[in-house]
């Protein structure tokens, strides 16, 4: 029997063995390593009830108390970062250095949330009207549901939970059923940090658990990261049930390379951003737009670097690990056939790659296509794997038109040594996050993460200032303490005077 990975409700693992379960694998070996519980409506009810009860007390905790818990959690997370990274690698497959980077980026958001006494400062206007003072506060929304994806099982929960908790909310996290253990590790760290039981809960499972969170009357807000079709579904279903929703969807991230760019730098960036985490990143570069006449030279440099990558077990000294499941590996590999059928030039074929790992692992090597056209599925679809497409553009304007015509608007980058061109691109491109000679422009914690168009549903980006606004409601209080010597009835409409 494999280990049962259960829920975490009110500060403890949930009870009995469930009727519905799923398998958890080590992607580098193909071996089943665990069995994860799938929540039903009663499990979600129990978690939300525990969260609602705990939140009634937690919201009354002083900002000093909340920040002390955040600081303690930060120290514990930092001390146990290697353990958490190993859990991520064991269930997701990404190499250990990549998993460690994921934990570090999550830690930055915890550090941001530690400043909650400053982040929740309101405004005050004395004598806004005669003897009338007005002040504003930001108060928690209540129980928050967080639905996180398989590709960042530690970082994405840390995008949302620290800010939500610091603002006085409680959290019910539904992690991906593909790599569920990182969420339980975080739950135990929160408890050790002094967070009251019930403020952070975990329900494992599939669409049944997602729908239960989206429809539950006591869940007031939903934070989601995943594919665009599911993000749209989460947004529409959650808002119909009266919740505020931030749903971050998919991407087709372009890297535009102008003729004046440092092509060695650009080639390094394309390989790093295209094949890190086996391309299973919503900020991965999946389309390189080479502006004439640099295409041939750039493709040659990218292919040369790809030939030096070692694919294998993430626990070894490899550059790229496996894909998360066999089914996902097969889906991504099918796009190689589709690209060939559509007439794209296959420069590097990742099928049948030599690996430093077990034969049963979910392997697919880095793959490169050239002369890709916009109507091809390898360009139009979010593949979410190690498949990089190169498109050619005659001019900067053609490249910009290509990027802006894409339905996704998550991240983009331009490589150039021309400051004017970079500035113009930053102004004109219709994408939420832009890098200049930076291939993966994920904002630091003091800013907010989020795309445009079909990459975001809702008005709020993730973490940073947007995160604080999303997890709070503004209240404005108008006060007058009458002078005892003045009074009398006045039936006129109140005037500012």
């Amino acid at each position: 029997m494999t280990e049962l990975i259960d829920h975490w409700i009110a500060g403890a693992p949930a009870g009995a063995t469930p009727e519905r379960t799923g398998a958890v694998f080590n992607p580098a070996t193909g071996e089943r390593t665990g069995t994860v519980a799938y929540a039903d409506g009663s499990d979600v009810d129990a978690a939300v009830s525990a969260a609602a009860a705990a939140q009634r007390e937690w919201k009354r905790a002083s900002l000093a108390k909340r920040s002390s818990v955040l600081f303690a959690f930060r120290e514990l997370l930092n001390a146990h970062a290697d353990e958490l990274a190993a859990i991520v690698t064991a269930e997701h497959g990404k190499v250990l250095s990549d998993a460690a980077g994921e934990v570090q980026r999550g830690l930055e958001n915890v550090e941001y949330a530690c400043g909650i006494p400053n982040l929740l400062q309101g405004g005050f206007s004395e004598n806004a009207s005669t003897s009338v003072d007005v002040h504003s506060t930001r108060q928690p929304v209540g129980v928050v549901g967080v639905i996180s994806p398989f590709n960042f099982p530690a970082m994405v929960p840390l995008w949302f939970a620290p800010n939500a908790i610091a603002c006085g909310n409680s959290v019910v996290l539904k992690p991906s059923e593909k790599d569920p253990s990182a969420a339980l590790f975080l739950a135990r760290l929160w408890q050790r940090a002094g967070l009251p039981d019930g403020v952070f809960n975990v329900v494992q499972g599939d669409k049944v658990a997602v729908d239960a969170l989206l429809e539950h009357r006591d869940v007031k807000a939903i934070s989601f990261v995943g594919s665009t079709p599911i993000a749209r579904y989460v947004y529409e279903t959650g808002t119909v049930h009266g919740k505020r929703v931030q749903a971050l969807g998919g991407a087709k991230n372009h890297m535009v390379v102008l003729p004046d760019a440092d092509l060695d730098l650009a080639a390094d960036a394309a390989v790093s951003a295209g094949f890190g985490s086996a391309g299973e990143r919503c900020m991965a570069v999946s389309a390189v737009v080479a502006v004439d006449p640099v295409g041939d030279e750039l493709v040659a440099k990218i292919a040369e670097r790809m030939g030096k990558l070692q694919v294998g077990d993430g626990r070894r000294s490899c550059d790229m690990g496996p894909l998360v499941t066999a089914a996902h590996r097969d889906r991504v590999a099918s796009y190689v056939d589709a690209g060939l059928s559509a007439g794209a030039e296959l420069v590097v074929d990742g099928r049948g790659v030599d690996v430093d790992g077990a034969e049963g692992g979910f392997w697919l090597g880095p793959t490169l296509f050239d002369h890709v056209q916009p109507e091809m599925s390898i360009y139009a679809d979010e593949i979410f794997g190690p498949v990089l497409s190169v498109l050619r553009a005659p001019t900067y304007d053609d490249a910009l038109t290509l990027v802006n015509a894409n339905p996704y608007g998550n991240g983009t980058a331009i490589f150039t040594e021309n400051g004017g061109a970079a500035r113009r691109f930053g102004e004109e491109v219709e994408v939420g996050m832009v890098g200049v000679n930076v291939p993966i422009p994920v904002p630091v914690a003091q800013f907010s993460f989020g795309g445009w168009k079909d990459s975001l549903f809702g008005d709020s980006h993730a973490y940073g200032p947007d995160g604080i606004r999303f997890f709070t409601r503004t209240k404005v209080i108008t006060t007058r303490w009458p002078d005892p010597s003045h009074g009398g009835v006045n039936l006129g409409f109140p005037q500012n005077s």
Side-chain angles (χ1 to χ4, degrees):
M1 289 291 292
T2 57
E3 174 193 2
L4 178 65
I5 303 166
D6 217 327
H7 320 299
W8 180 273
I9 299 173
T17 301
E19 295 181 359
R20 296 191 315 120
T21 62
V24 178
F25 295 91
N26 181 338
T29 65
E31 296 174 345
R32 181 169 179 166
T33 58
T35 299
V36 60
Y38 279 7
D40 58 20
S42 63
D43 297 314
V44 174
D45 279 340
V48 175
S49 295
Q55 197 266 337
R56 284 192 287 271
E57 296 301 319
W58 179 244
K59 70 180 181 181
R60 297 187 179 96
S62 68
L63 296 180
K65 171 63 177 176
R66 294 184 211 168
S67 62
S68 71
V69 171
L70 266 294
F71 273 109
F73 179 71
R74 186 264 178 203
E75 293 303 307
L76 287 166
L77 184 60
N78 191 48
H80 295 279
D82 290 344
E83 296 170 60
L84 182 54
I87 291 171
V88 171
T89 293
E91 291 185 348
H92 175 272
K94 65 180 64 177
V95 299
L96 271 172
S97 59
D98 195 15
E102 169 182 348
V103 175
Q104 182 60 43
R105 292 307 299 263
L107 186 63
E108 292 177 10
N109 291 294
V110 179
E111 293 170 346
Y112 179 80
C114 287
I116 196 63
N118 288 326
L119 299 173
L120 281 186
Q121 284 182 342
F124 184 88
S125 292
E126 182 182 32
N127 214 36
S129 187
T130 303
S131 300
V132 174
D133 303 327
V134 182
H135 74 276
S136 64
T137 64
R138 304 199 70 88
Q139 297 184 344
V141 297
V143 178
V144 173
V146 175
I147 304 167
S148 64
F150 73 83
N151 59 324
F152 287 105
M155 185 182 74
V156 169
L158 293 172
W159 278 3
F160 300 116
N163 281 340
I165 289 170
C167 290
N169 303 284
S170 58
V171 171
V172 179
L173 167 64
K174 208 299 287 184
S176 170
E177 63 274 24
K178 296 179 179 67
D179 42 15
S181 296
L184 298 179
F185 191 86
L186 292 174
R188 291 183 172 91
L189 291 187
W190 279 116
Q191 187 178 60
R192 289 178 58 187
L195 187 69
D197 292 342
V199 177
F200 184 84
N201 307 272
V202 179
V203 290
Q204 311 285 2
D206 55 4
K207 185 176 183 294
V208 173
V210 171
D211 285 343
L213 286 172
L214 295 177
E215 297 169 6
H216 203 292
R217 61 180 297 178
D218 292 332
V219 175
K220 304 303 181 183
I222 295 287
S223 297
F224 171 86
V225 176
S227 68
T228 284
I230 306 303
R232 181 181 285 109
Y233 171 81
V234 166
Y235 179 75
E236 292 174 350
T237 306
T239 53
V240 162
H241 287 85
K243 307 181 193 321
R244 57 172 60 182
V245 180
Q246 51 179 178
L248 283 68
K252 198 70 181 183
N253 302 317
H254 300 74
M255 189 179 105
V256 176
V257 182
L258 297 188
D260 70 328
D262 181 329
L263 294 188
D264 288 316
L265 176 66
D268 288 342
V271 173
S272 300
F275 305 118
S277 194
E280 294 173 330
R281 293 172 175 162
C282 67
M283 288 294 284
V285 167
S286 54
V288 173
V289 184
V291 178
D292 290 342
V294 300
D296 290 346
E297 184 179 358
L298 179 62
V299 169
K301 288 179 178 292
I302 292 173
E304 177 191 6
R305 286 157 173 78
M306 290 173 62
K308 300 175 183 178
L309 297 179
Q310 177 63 61
V311 178
D313 193 319
R315 297 166 294 185
R316 304 176 187 175
S317 298
C318 298
D319 301 299
M320 193 186 93
L323 276 74
V324 68
T325 65
H328 185 58
R329 184 269 317 277
D330 294 344
R331 174 186 173 275
V332 175
S334 72
Y335 277 98
V336 183
D337 297 327
L340 281 169
S341 298
E345 178 185 337
L346 183 58
V347 180
V348 179
D349 188 348
R351 299 169 298 181
V353 65
D354 291 331
V355 300
D356 181 12
E359 184 175 337
F362 309 140
W363 307 113
L364 180 66
T367 299
L368 176 64
F369 279 103
D370 192 11
H371 297 288
V372 174
Q373 300 300 316
E375 65 273 11
M376 296 179 180
S377 64
I378 55 174
Y379 173 76
D381 297 349
E382 183 187 27
I383 298 175
F384 219 66
V387 179
L388 183 63
S389 297
V390 178
L391 299 90
R392 307 297 185 97
T395 66
Y396 163 86
D397 288 327
D398 293 310
L400 179 71
T401 298
L402 179 69
V403 177
N404 285 346
N406 195 276
Y408 297 109
N410 206 47
T412 190
I414 186 167
F415 276 71
T416 179
E417 294 185 352
N418 186 316
R423 189 175 187 275
R424 180 182 170 189
F425 185 76
E427 292 176 347
E428 296 178 337
V429 73
E430 296 172 6
V431 174
M433 293 171 284
V434 182
V436 176
N437 298 320
V438 175
I440 304 181
V442 176
V444 295
Q446 292 78 17
F447 292 83
S448 297
F449 179 104
W452 289 9
K453 299 187 285 190
D454 283 354
S455 294
L456 177 71
F457 299 87
D459 298 322
S460 295
H461 289 188
Y463 66 77
D466 269 19
I468 299 300
R469 287 189 288 269
F470 182 77
F471 293 123
T472 56
R473 295 182 293 182
T474 300
K475 180 178 288 184
V476 178
I477 301 174
T478 302
T479 305
R480 178 171 63 190
W481 297 107
D483 187 327
S485 65
H486 176 75
V489 175
N490 183 353
L491 300 185
F493 192 82
Q495 299 182 36
N496 295 328
S497 59

